[in-house]
């Protein structure tokens, strides 16, 4: 556990494809007829997004130091060696029994942000498509980062649950500044926060993942349909992460 907690990884990710149905979902598509020209345009914009994106991430593992309530009485999970507290009922449930917590941040890169700004001045339709493609791209980068965490946990004989981001459930969005500081994400990834706690580059994701001594039924229970499968480092060894 100590060796795992000492890890502070910076990684670049090779995202060469995304799920087109996910891009369409972010665009609000629900099966309505689509003109051939627009259909082809989606493919072109997705390809352009993948070309300009520079996906990268940082992650770090912290041992759980305690579970004392926060000053306002809300449930809280404290981490050893970090000022970061995971507050709320969602975190109490998500980290129940966790021995450690992996903290992660990923971004599709400032190049995606710059292209979005350019398109906002030149082609709003293409901007909308590119925005959806950027969201899908950074989520794939998050899958790659999660796969790295799962592999590191597996090496240490631990199991993981799924990533959970600030703003989900009752996990406060104001977790963001301390989370990013714990990862030195501004220096390493160029991620900054606005006064309203929105990240720049906007196509960025932060999350936490629990590490456990026993398998977790909520995620990574099989290789089928696992979002991390395309980046998995474990299957080649002949033993899946959930066994």
């Amino acid at each position: 556990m100590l060796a795992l907690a000492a890890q502070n990884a910076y990684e670049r990710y090779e995202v060469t494809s995304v799920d087109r149905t996910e891009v369409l979902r972010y665009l609000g598509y629900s099966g309505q007829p689509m003109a051939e020209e627009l259909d082809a345009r989606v493919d072109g914009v997705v390809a352009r997004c993948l070309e300009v994106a520079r996906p990268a991430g940082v992650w770090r593992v912290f041992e759980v130091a305690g579970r004392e309530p926060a000053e306002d009485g809300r449930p809280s999970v404290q981490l050893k060696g970090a000022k970061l507290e995971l507050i709320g009922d969602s975190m109490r449930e998500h980290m129940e029994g966790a021995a450690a917590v992996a903290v992660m941040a990923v971004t599709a890169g400032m190049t995606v942000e710059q292209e979005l700004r350019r398109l906002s001045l030149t082609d709003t339709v293409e901007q909308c498509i590119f925005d959806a493609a950027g969201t899908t791209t950074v989520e794939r980068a998050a899958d790659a980062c999660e796969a790295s965490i799962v592999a590191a946990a597996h090496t240490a004989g631990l199991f993981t649950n799924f990533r959970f981001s600030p703003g989900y459930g009752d996990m406060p969005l104001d977790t963001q500044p301390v989370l990013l500081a714990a990862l030195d994400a501004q220096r390493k990834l160029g991620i900054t926060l606005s006064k309203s706690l929105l990240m720049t580059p906007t196509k960025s994701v932060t999350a936490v993942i629990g590490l456990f001594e026993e398998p977790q039924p909520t995620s990574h229970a099989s290789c089928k349909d696992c979002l991390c499968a395309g980046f998995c480092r474990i299957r080649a060894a002949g033993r899946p992460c959930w066994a």
Side-chain angles (χ1 to χ4, degrees), residues 8 53 57 64 147 162 183 196:
N8 191 355
V64 171
F162 55 90
L183 295 171
S196 58

Side-chain angles (χ1 to χ4, degrees), residues 78-90:
Q78 296 86 44
L79 305 182
K80 185 176 181 180
K83 295 180 179 179
L84 178 62
E85 279 189 273
L86 308 179
I87 293 175
D89 290 316
S90 296

Side-chain angles (χ1 to χ4, degrees), residues 198-213:
L198 297 178
M199 289 184 285
T200 298
T202 53
K203 300 310 175 187
S204 300
V205 170
T206 60
V208 294
I209 299 172
L211 278 65
F212 303 82
E213 294 179 353

Side-chain angles (χ1 to χ4, degrees), residues 1 37-38 56 88 93 96 102-103 128 133 151-152 170 194 199 216 219:
M1 178 69 76
E37 180 182 354
L38 180 58
E93 180 179 351
E96 182 68 33
V103 181
C128 288
D170 66 346
S194 69
M199 289 184 285
Q216 299 300 295
S219 66

Side-chain angles (χ1 to χ4, degrees), residues 15-152:
V15 179
T16 57
S17 64
V18 295
D19 187 340
R20 192 177 193 272
T21 60
E22 283 295 290
V23 177
L24 294 177
R25 183 175 69 84
Y26 285 121
L27 283 169
Y29 178 76
S30 57
Q32 61 268 42
M34 183 185 297
E36 289 185 9
E37 180 182 354
L38 180 58
D39 191 60
R41 195 174 189 185
V42 168
D43 291 336
V45 173
V46 169
R48 172 64 179 161
C49 182
L50 292 172
E51 178 185 350
V52 304
R54 300 292 182 269
V58 292
W59 60 270
R60 188 175 177 184
V61 174
F62 299 92
E63 293 184 51
V64 171
R67 301 178 186 274
E68 295 297 319
E71 290 183 0
D72 59 6
R74 287 181 295 173
S76 175
V77 178
Q78 296 86 44
L79 305 182
K80 185 176 181 180
K83 295 180 179 179
L84 178 62
E85 279 189 273
L86 308 179
I87 293 175
D89 290 316
S90 296
M91 281 295 94
R92 176 177 60 186
E93 180 179 351
H94 196 63
M95 298 302 174
E96 182 68 33
V101 174
V103 181
M104 58 179 275
V106 298
T107 182
M110 201 63 193
T111 48
V112 170
E113 190 74 12
Q114 292 166 346
E115 184 69 1
L116 279 169
R117 292 175 183 174
R118 184 187 72 81
L119 290 171
S120 71
L121 301 173
T122 60
D123 191 327
T124 54
V125 172
E126 193 156 310
Q127 179 201 15
C128 288
I129 301 171
F130 195 93
D131 184 82
T135 299
T136 312
T137 299
V138 75
E139 288 294 338
R140 286 301 286 154
D143 293 338
C145 185
E146 184 173 340
S148 294
I149 294 167
V150 172

